[in-house]
Amino acid sequence: MDLAIQISLTVNGVAVSRRVEPRQSLVDFLRYGLELTGSHVGCEHGVCGACTVRVDGAIARGCLMLAVQCDGCRVETIEGVAGTGEVFDLQQAFAQENALQCGFCTPGMLLTAQDLLARKPAASAQEIREALSGNYCRCTGYHAIVEAVRKTAEARGRA
Amino acid sequence: MKPVPFAYHRPASLDEALALMERYGADGRVLAGGQSLVPALNMRLAAPAALIDINRLPGLDGISLEPEGLVIGALARHEAVEASPLVARHAPLIAQAMPHVGHRAIRTRGTVGGTVALADPAAELPACLVALDAIVRVTGRGSRRDIPVQRFFRGIYTTDLAPGEIVTAVVALPIGPGWRSRFTELARRHGDYALVGLAAHCRVEGGVIREARLAFCGVGATPVRASRAEATLSGRRPDADVVAEAGRALDADLDPPGDVHASPALRRHLARVLLARAVAQIVT
Ligand SMILES: Cc1cc2nc3c(=O)[nH]c(=O)nc-3n(C[C@H](O)[C@H](O)[C@H](O)COP(=O)(O)OP(=O)(O)OC[C@H]3O[C@@H](n4cnc5c(N)ncnc54)[C@H](O)[C@@H]3O)c2cc1C
Ligand code: FES
Ligand code: FES
């Protein structure tokens, strides 16, 4: 039985049309269908945040949306926001603060932090911790990540 | 893990959605925010033959003030409820509870209808609805029912929804004069489901609590009203002795479960802590 469905969407500003199986998650579609492997897959049940992407401008779990649901949507991944330079300063700060080691959590951290700073440019360390509480890092111990985000917020405030 | 294959439908109208539910019966599942259903699919705890995606049904995501009360559509996302000036003004209890639901990337997708249909005993919104005496509005083929929440939540993950029915909205009476609300919860980490949560809604007059409505989540199969503690507080000025007495009354109101997250004794203790905090915030 062929259950596949045709979908059309934009991914990082590029129009894409594909046939997908309904059971394929958005993050698997990005990774296997489009070879955009910057979005990672950790837990597949919404707790780790490694799969975080933006759908129509709002951050969402790529493992908890089906690709078929994104028909007609605007999807952005770490490749997209890094490519446009939107998170360049955050990336620099992560590198400077040693806020990544293996890098598995980093794309999700960057998208989540960018979402926070867009809504709350002067976010406190406490607010940063709360916003990142849905993103797991098994390497850094989080402190450096919070520092990197806080310093970026400060720098953007001065700019 | 990956889900078992299923068919996918995206109805464009409520009638079409109800017809699909009838066609598939127990083999079909409604897909709303997907923040609980998709994990269950991924872990193969659920294996429906078809998903009926209601996300694009028109008119189900609105939040409006109607003659019957504040109507929050089933497809309103947690994030939209959190940001709504109408909810902040007319149902502040619900607005206060929203930031506690998961994380932002969950709240951008999760819906009001999905939360009540799921009936997770630890969920925040059902407790708020019980404290507010709200109504769950459901539609089936050729039928429409307004169900008082106390009857809607029947047990762990169990509701009064009949096969083929869809939740279309929840309706709460706007907060009246003198009423004050406070939602508080304790979780091990921000964004986790609460160990214990309290939706407190009280009418206060000159520092005296005239009426108290206390609904706890995480302490039973459904949201639990603490009627003895409510009676202890009612008609009194909540000084330290009165609050302590109400806290002791909670022991008879609540029979919390023990699990890997917390023992019954810890949950009882946390319930008393939350009661004291909520009352202090409500009367000051
Ligand atoms: C990491 C994580 C943390 C979370 N933390 C919390 C938390 O702290 N508190 C909390 O309350 N929730 C939490 N959730 C759950 C989340 O809020 C869910 O979104 C919510 O419980 C279900 O809503 P949904 O719209 O996603 O429903 P779905 O997952 O789409 O559906 C859930 C169930 O309801 C049925 N359904 C959905 N909509 C309707 C409808 N309109 N009519 C009839 N049936 C319907 C579905 O068929 C399914 O059986 C968390 C989820 C995750 C992944
Ligand atoms: S893989 Fe999606 S949250 Fe973990
Ligand atoms: S850097 Fe390794 S998981 Fe975060």
Side-chain angles (χ1 to χ4, degrees):
Chain A
M1 188 172 44
D2 183 19
L3 300 165
I5 290 177
Q6 185 77 24
I7 59 168
S8 301
L9 63 163
T10 71
V11 178
N12 299 329
V14 179
V16 177
S17 242
R18 286 283 195 291
R19 279 177 72 73
V20 294
E21 258 201 274
R23 67 170 173 157
Q24 185 167 54
S25 68
L26 172 58
V27 67
D28 280 348
F29 170 69
L30 294 168
R31 292 175 57 83
Y32 296 105
L34 305 181
E35 294 182 9
L36 293 170
T37 53
S39 310
H40 295 157
V41 180
C43 66
E44 298 188 313
H45 61 276
V47 302
C48 77
C51 62
T52 306
V53 294
R54 281 203 306 229
V55 179
D56 291 337
I59 54 169
R61 300 293 206 221
C63 69
L64 298 189
M65 276 191 85
L66 305 170
V68 280
Q69 291 188 280
C70 298
D71 186 26
C73 294
R74 179 166 55 88
V75 174
E76 293 162 286
T77 68
I78 188 63
E79 288 89 349
V81 296
T84 60
E86 182 187 336
V87 293
F88 183 72
D89 54 351
L90 259 179
Q91 290 173 298
Q92 294 289 65
F94 267 58
Q96 262 150 29
E97 298 298 320
N98 284 321
L100 68 157
Q101 288 177 33
C102 77
F104 188 82
C105 67
T106 314
M109 289 286 180
L110 291 168
L111 279 160
T112 306
Q114 177 67 3
D115 173 74
L116 172 71
L117 296 185
R119 289 178 297 114
K120 288 191 184 152
S124 66
Q126 178 60 24
E127 286 171 321
I128 295 167
R129 278 186 189 280
E130 279 186 11
L132 295 177
S133 64
N135 292 69
Y136 288 6
C137 176
R138 296 290 85 145
C139 301
T140 66
Y142 302 101
H143 186 72
I145 298 175
V146 175
E147 268 305 287
V149 177
R150 204 184 55 73
K151 288 197 170 156
T152 305
E154 263 174 28
R156 287 186 188 179
R158 282 193 305 269
Chain B
M1 249 158 85
K2 308 297 174 191
V4 170
F6 49 77
Y8 172 82
H9 297 277
R10 192 165 62 213
S13 70
L14 190 55
D15 281 345
E16 199 188 322
L18 294 171
L20 283 163
M21 287 171 75
E22 187 167 88
R23 176 173 138 203
Y24 283 104
D27 294 329
R29 286 289 279 276
V30 167
L31 173 65
Q35 302 302 292
S36 296
L37 180 54
V38 178
L41 297 174
N42 288 349
M43 292 186 277
R44 301 201 174 190
L45 298 171
L51 289 192
I52 300 155
D53 181 352
I54 62 171
N55 279 278
R56 302 207 192 171
L57 295 188
L60 278 191
D61 63 350
I63 301 175
S64 61
L65 195 60
E66 306 292 340
E68 69 267 38
L70 179 70
V71 179
I72 308 179
L75 285 178
R77 316 263 173 206
H78 294 127
E79 183 207 26
V81 176
E82 185 177 345
S84 162
L86 279 178
V87 176
R89 170 133 183 243
H90 300 292
L93 185 61
I94 294 176
Q96 289 165 14
M98 286 301 106
H100 294 284
V101 178
H103 311 284
R104 186 170 155 85
I106 310 276
R107 296 196 293 272
T108 57
R109 299 293 311 164
T111 68
V112 163
T115 306
V116 296
L118 183 69
D120 189 310
E124 292 82 1
L125 181 64
C128 296
L129 297 175
V130 166
L132 297 174
D133 242 343
I135 279 166
V136 179
R137 183 163 283 172
V138 310
T139 300
R141 286 201 97 182
S143 72
R144 192 179 126 149
R145 299 195 291 150
D146 275 356
I147 311 166
V149 270
Q150 289 278 30
R151 267 209 293 120
F152 182 82
F153 296 112
R154 294 193 143 179
I156 297 183
Y157 303 116
T158 310
T159 70
D160 195 46
L161 269 183
E165 281 182 328
I166 279 186
V167 176
T168 57
V170 299
V171 186
L173 282 181
I175 189 168
W179 286 88
R180 299 214 198 134
S181 304
R182 179 56 55 180
F183 186 89
T184 48
E185 74 172 40
L186 288 161
R188 289 205 189 269
R189 261 181 323 206
H190 180 81
D192 283 4
Y193 273 101
L195 295 174
V196 183
L198 168 59
H201 189 54
C202 300
R203 188 163 64 81
V204 184
E205 232 176 46
V208 174
I209 293 180
R210 288 295 164 198
E211 289 172 72
R213 304 181 56 87
L214 309 171
F216 283 88
C217 57
V219 296
T222 60
V224 179
R225 279 282 297 277
S227 52
R228 291 177 185 84
E230 290 174 359
T232 307
L233 292 173
S234 296
R236 299 171 78 183
R237 193 173 291 279
D239 59 28
D241 289 343
V242 170
V243 172
E245 194 184 326
R248 288 192 294 277
L250 279 183
D251 281 344
D253 283 324
L254 309 180
D255 184 16
D259 54 30
V260 289
H261 305 292
S263 64
L266 176 58
R267 282 203 165 85
R268 282 181 192 284
H269 171 72
L270 297 178
R272 283 194 293 267
V273 171
L274 289 178
L275 180 66
R277 284 185 190 171
V279 168
Q281 284 165 335
I282 276 176
V283 294
T284 49

